[in-house]
Amino acid sequence: MMSGNGARRIGLLGVPVEAGTGRRGAGMGPEALRVAELEARLVALGRDVTDHGNVVQLDARALGPLTFAGAAHSPERVASWVRPLARQSYDLCKAGTLPVFLGGDHSLAMGSVMGVARHWEEEGRPLFVLWLDAHADFNIPSISPSGNMHGMSLALLAGEEELRPVFGDDPTTSIPPERMCVFGARSIDPGERDLLRRRGVSIVDMRQIDEHGVSVLLHRFLNRVAAENGVLHVSLDVDFLDPTVAPGVGTTVPGGATYREAHLVMELLEDAGCVGSLDVVELNPFLDDRGRSALVLAELVASLFGQEIMDRPTQPFG
């Protein structure tokens, strides 16, 4: 296991992509997170942080048309972001940096996690993915009701053949679906549900969280990561949270995680010490309430890297 989520230097990288969603605004997410002083919060925790600016988008026209067997909106534009992102993600990991990717819509995970996966495959460490999201994002073009590619990211990372054109001839690797956990799900399409079952992705929905609590369910997954000496990529979608906590997202679904549940998730991840990379995605400042969602996300990232109200005693009641 790693010695802690903050043991290595942290690299922030903005990805202002909004081509994967059906509405404008997510492209402003990286700057909103910067305005919420994410970097300063991490520095205050004693972390060595570098902001690497934003990924440079390729010319989508130079990629040529990408053909899919089904509905896939703006695939060339999505590819023009995620291909260079995968390369920069790989380079950051190779340099010993713990990358934090600031989104942008969830299609960015196609590139961020792809680069991370390539690195850890070379290192001989299994990569696990914790998908904190109201949605599973496991659609493929032939079954997608909307064709929006931010709903296909996890399926691409699992190696679904229909999505292979996104990366063309670029180097790729896939993550076994049994190493993936969607946590906080409450909106999954019928065809997507069947595909998730067949592939063996772990799903923790909000009913399970209500019945058993965050701690028990998250520990089950983290214990699997530890048992295999794995590394964990965390992909945090704003809509993991209840919209009353974080309204700045275009895909609001009622009944999400509370403020306290979300912080507990982050604190448990910090305790586990296995997080090697992080996405923060789907923040749409145009839909936000005076920056409230950006501030909540910045606070959650700080919790992941060690921010506590009080030092925890070794004897809780003694």
Side-chain angles (χ1 to χ4, degrees):
M1 295 290 289
M2 294 175 172
S3 57
N5 302 332
R8 294 177 292 149
R9 62 183 177 273
I10 297 169
L12 307 180
L13 184 63
V15 193
V17 57
E18 57 187 24
T21 183
R23 65 190 306 166
R24 301 284 302 276
M28 299 185 290
E31 292 312 308
L33 289 165
R34 290 178 172 118
V35 171
E37 300 184 330
L38 176 57
E39 180 178 0
R41 294 170 190 269
L42 298 178
V43 170
L45 293 169
R47 307 307 184 191
D48 179 2
V49 185
T50 300
D51 189 336
H52 296 272
N54 291 344
V55 170
V56 178
Q57 182 185 16
L58 298 176
D59 183 351
R61 295 168 298 180
L63 300 181
L66 303 182
T67 305
F68 296 85
H73 297 321
S74 303
E76 295 84 8
R77 289 171 57 207
V78 170
S80 72
W81 284 106
V82 302
R83 290 187 191 184
L85 174 56
R87 296 167 198 152
Q88 195 163 353
S89 169
Y90 172 83
D91 290 342
L92 286 170
C93 289
K94 201 73 174 172
T97 298
L98 192 159
V100 177
F101 304 98
L102 312 178
D105 74 60
H106 220 156
S107 68
L108 75 82
M110 295 179 178
S112 63
V113 186
M114 184 64 71
V116 169
R118 282 184 56 218
H119 167 71
W120 290 112
E121 184 177 57
E122 291 178 1
E123 294 294 312
R125 299 278 299 279
L127 181 69
F128 290 74
V129 176
L130 180 65
W131 206 259
L132 299 172
D133 201 323
H135 309 87
D137 296 339
F138 213 84
N139 272 303
I140 53 178
S142 62
I143 64 172
S144 173
S146 69
N148 293 329
M149 297 196 72
H150 69 163
M152 305 182 191
S153 301
L154 199 58
L156 178 142
L157 295 167
E160 289 297 324
E161 191 68 26
E162 286 187 22
L163 292 164
R164 185 172 294 275
V166 171
F167 278 96
D169 295 328
D170 283 13
T172 60
T173 188
S174 58
I175 301 166
E178 60 269 19
R179 290 188 198 152
M180 297 174 166
C181 178
V182 179
F183 198 90
R186 52 196 190 278
S187 178
I188 299 177
D189 298 313
E192 183 184 27
R193 184 182 298 116
D194 179 62
L195 186 59
L196 286 161
R197 286 197 189 106
R198 287 190 280 122
R199 298 296 186 256
V201 177
S202 296
I203 305 292
V204 176
D205 62 24
M206 288 307 299
R207 172 172 175 168
Q208 292 171 278
I209 290 174
D210 289 342
E211 289 184 348
H212 304 289
V214 163
S215 180
V216 169
L217 297 168
L218 188 55
H219 273 305
R220 288 178 187 171
F221 184 65
L222 292 175
N223 288 342
R224 289 176 51 205
V225 179
E228 296 190 37
N229 190 31
V231 181
L232 183 61
H233 177 92
V234 177
S235 205
L236 171 61
D237 190 310
V238 182
D239 70 20
F240 169 66
L241 294 152
D242 191 82
T244 60
V245 178
V249 61
T251 52
T252 54
V253 184
T258 66
Y259 182 84
R260 184 57 231 151
E261 285 172 331
H263 273 283
L264 178 57
V265 168
M266 295 299 155
E267 291 160 5
L268 293 173
L269 291 172
E270 161 64 8
D271 291 346
C274 60
V275 176
S277 46
L278 170 70
D279 302 322
V280 184
V281 304
E282 296 286 353
L283 173 62
N284 188 330
F286 185 76
L287 303 174
D288 205 4
D289 177 13
R290 294 177 295 179
R292 181 152 58 104
S293 303
L295 290 169
V296 168
L297 289 172
E299 291 167 358
L300 288 173
V301 175
S303 284
L304 177 60
F305 290 101
Q307 181 172 284
E308 299 175 356
I309 296 173
M310 292 287 289
D311 292 334
R312 286 189 295 277
T314 54
Q315 297 295 327
F317 303 105

